[in-house]
Amino acid sequence: MPLTVRDLLAIPSLRLRLVAGGAGLGRVVEAAHATENTRPASWLEGTEVVMTNGLLLSPDETGCATYVDELRAGRAAALIVGVGAGLPLPSVPEALSRHAERVGIPLLAAPPDVAFAAITKAVFVARAAEERRLLERTLRTQRRLSSAAASSDGLAGLLTSWVQAVHSGVTVCDASGRLLGSAGTDGQQLLADAAPVIDTVVLHGLRGSGQADLPCGRLVVQPLGTTRLRGFLLLLDADAPEARLLISVLVSLLSVELERRHLADEPQRRRRAAVLARLFHTDITAEQARALLRTADVHAATVRAVTVQAAGEPVELAADLALAVPGGLARVTGDRVELVVAEDFNTAAVLRRFAPGRPAGIGPAVTPQHAALSLRQAIALLSSSVELGRPVSASEAGSVRLLLSLGSPATLAAFADTVLAPLDAADPGGELLETLRVWLETNGSWAETSSLLGLHRHTVQNRIEKVARLTGRQQDRAEDRVDLWLALTARAVGTPLSDQQRYGNAFPPQG
């Protein structure tokens, strides 16, 4: 146990006497500091016993109150005053006692023949003994944890041993956030509460860590893995000295365990890759395709193929993605990773976490026997993904918006301004542009445009005629309509879009 003021008071050789502040006897003492400075707060780190002979201390009410408040500001553990014959203070000033009692700082009196050096030595010896005991306990616990990790109980035994040793709740999840084990806490609830912290740690990989105050306690999140992120360790209230010393040990043992599991899963990943290869055969029947998906526990009526460029580490990326997608249907083809996922699977979230910044094509949703067709379209989208710097889905591949987005932003802006600048100048409020947009989207319907904008039909006609006069584009010429529509679309392409707008149904909304 840490040294407390009560323990210090109980050392017979020091013959210390409690004068005031008995409520603070449980305070931890980590050092002893002798000073005659009457403003010691800025010189203290906290948890020190401050020792003084009162040489410069003013014993009046104001001086004692100021001094005690300084000790409180510096988080002093206690105050020891040397008193007696031949010392500046023959006894402890009553004002000092009152104010020490007021703030709850233990005030001890030391006899004149007890040197402050003896008190400092006693604190040092007691602290050294406690650190030695802590180290011995830590080594014993480390051996217990290592034995548990090597036992047949594996992960469960390791987590149980941790809780028994340091009384800190623990949860482990894989890199996708799926619960692998927990002890001393509700693992699923903790994962839900800790999701924002985990998302932050993901950004830094194995170099990251995170903390947060949750309703259930103080959370610490540590990444797990040796050379690649394999999962996360979540600890609750791991603030005890022994726990802090052992966290790195637990991280190492769990990282080895997750690497072992990763290697053990390799045969399964090969089997799933073989299933995917058969699924991509062009002559597969509908029943055969459904049967193959059932072997991977995928029961979706429609699926889509996804391909990701992974130059340099396709095998590791394929393993990550296989872990992240239901069914684990992933394979490596050259420098690409190819997947099959259910149509409603949140592909966006997986790509953001495991393949950020990598070109990716997302094929259309098809029945399982047409997975090869979806894959061909996904591969064809990779070049667009490279140009745009984001995943591209088949739902947007045939749109003018995608083609425009591949152009230079400066070129698009120049084209849009050339066509629309007269409207910008004549109508800063944007009424003409909005009327033009709705009129074009309704294929030139006066009645529908009037209804959607809540305007009289004649008002709509007047605005469109004004657009024609200002831009020189006539409403009854197809080429002029196309120019106006492309200019409006080019401006829309320059506006940041949400994932749902960009990727359509391939990227369902989060949450």
Side-chain angles (χ1 to χ4, degrees), residues 276 280 304-308 331 333 336-340 361-364 366 370-382:
L276 193 56
F280 283 147
R304 64 176 79 248
V306 181
T307 185
V308 184
R331 71 172 185 176
T333 303
R336 299 193 313 268
V337 176
E338 298 171 350
L339 315 166
V340 162
I362 302 166
V366 296
H370 295 133
L373 175 62
S374 183
L375 176 63
R376 284 200 298 273
Q377 294 188 49
I379 294 172
L381 293 171
L382 284 175

Side-chain angles (χ1 to χ4, degrees), residues 313-336:
E313 51 177 16
V315 174
E316 286 291 351
L317 180 60
D320 288 343
L321 293 172
L323 179 68
V325 301
L329 293 174
R331 71 172 185 176
V332 175
T333 303
D335 63 350
R336 299 193 313 268

Side-chain angles (χ1 to χ4, degrees), residues 162-300:
W162 169 267
V163 174
Q164 292 173 345
V166 301
H167 311 291
S168 164
V170 58
T171 294
V172 176
C173 66
D174 63 21
S176 295
R178 286 191 286 261
L179 180 67
L180 298 179
S182 66
T185 185
D186 183 339
Q188 291 288 8
Q189 183 61 51
L190 184 58
L191 284 178
D193 294 340
V197 184
I198 294 175
D199 289 342
T200 300
V201 175
V202 166
L203 299 176
H204 303 282
L206 292 176
R207 298 184 182 89
S209 64
Q211 298 183 16
D213 289 313
L214 302 179
C216 54
R218 179 66 176 170
L219 170 72
V220 173
V221 177
Q222 292 283 349
L224 300 175
T226 55
T227 59
R228 193 174 180 87
L229 184 66
R230 302 295 184 199
F232 301 94
L233 166 66
L234 287 70
L235 295 171
L236 279 179
D237 298 325
D239 297 324
E242 185 176 2
R244 291 198 299 268
L245 288 173
L246 286 167
I247 287 178
S248 61
V249 174
L250 183 62
V251 167
S252 297
L253 293 173
L254 288 172
S255 294
V256 170
E257 171 64 16
L258 294 193
E259 292 292 349
R260 183 194 65 77
R261 292 186 174 207
H262 174 74
L263 293 175
D265 288 341
E266 177 59 24
Q268 176 76 343
R269 288 194 292 271
R270 286 199 298 269
R271 286 194 293 271
R272 295 297 171 89
V275 169
L276 193 56
R278 293 170 60 192
L279 186 64
F280 283 147
H281 283 173
T282 55
D283 57 353
I284 191 171
T285 67
E287 182 53 38
Q288 289 172 334
R290 287 193 295 269
L292 284 174
L293 288 180
R294 284 196 296 270
T295 65
D297 200 28
V298 176
H299 304 281

